[in-house]
Amino acid sequence: MIDLIKSRFPEAVLDVIEFRGETTVVVAPERLIEICTLLRDEPALHFDLLSDVSAVDRYPDHPRFEVNYHLYALEGNRSLRVKVRLDGETPSVASVTGVWPGANWHEREVWDLMGIRFEGHPDPRRIFMPDDFLGHPLRKDA
């Protein structure tokens, strides 16, 4: 599985982590959509379900933020975590809602609580906090 991703995007696979039976592939944020599309559409992979999107604030480390995409292939009962690392006060990455429409609410949650923008998201409103709330409550420097 990882070899196929690496063969198609050799420069975009930054790291592969195997831990406790789980595989995480760290990818370049600018290639996220292409890699996710491959993971969904390639018959040998066919990750047809995005089960969750989460984020970690590693403040004061750099890169500061990690966004984790938890994927599942119903056929074959396989899972994979895709991770991108972001830095800066206003981090952003492309929205995967065009690949997996179910990412909509997950990305809104990450935006609302962590302040990570998802470029191209169809509805980037807050989902938990009131509209007039200032900041993002899960940031470590908040």
Side-chain angles (χ1 to χ4, degrees), residues 5 35-42 45-47 71 80 82:
I5 301 167
I35 292 170
C36 287
T37 301
L38 171 76
L39 291 168
R40 181 196 64 193
D41 294 346
E42 174 62 43
L45 301 172
H46 195 58
F47 284 96
L71 309 180
L80 177 69
V82 175

Side-chain angles (χ1 to χ4, degrees), residues 119-132:
E119 300 301 325
H121 190 281
D123 186 14
R125 293 177 293 141
R126 287 193 177 271
I127 196 167
F128 292 119
M129 304 307 295
D131 290 336
D132 61 347

Side-chain angles (χ1 to χ4, degrees), residues 23 27 33 36 56 66 104 118 124 128 135:
T23 302
V27 302
I33 298 303
C36 287
V56 178
E66 294 177 344
N104 187 326
F118 293 89
F128 292 119

Side-chain angles (χ1 to χ4, degrees), residues 77-135:
N77 188 29
R78 294 174 291 112
S79 61
L80 177 69
R81 181 180 303 108
V82 175
K83 179 182 293 194
V84 295
R85 294 181 172 136
L86 307 170
D87 214 358
E89 286 301 310
T90 55
S92 69
V93 67
S95 172
V96 298
T97 55
V99 181
W100 294 288
N104 187 326
W105 282 38
H106 299 297
E107 289 180 351
R108 285 179 62 191
E109 177 182 3
V110 171
W111 152 246
D112 196 6
L113 300 177
M114 297 290 281
I116 297 170
R117 289 203 179 273
F118 293 89
E119 300 301 325
H121 190 281
D123 186 14
R125 293 177 293 141
R126 287 193 177 271
I127 196 167
F128 292 119
M129 304 307 295
D131 290 336
D132 61 347
F133 185 85
L134 298 177

Side-chain angles (χ1 to χ4, degrees), residues 2 20 53 64:
I2 298 302
R20 294 186 178 173
V53 178
R64 178 176 172 176

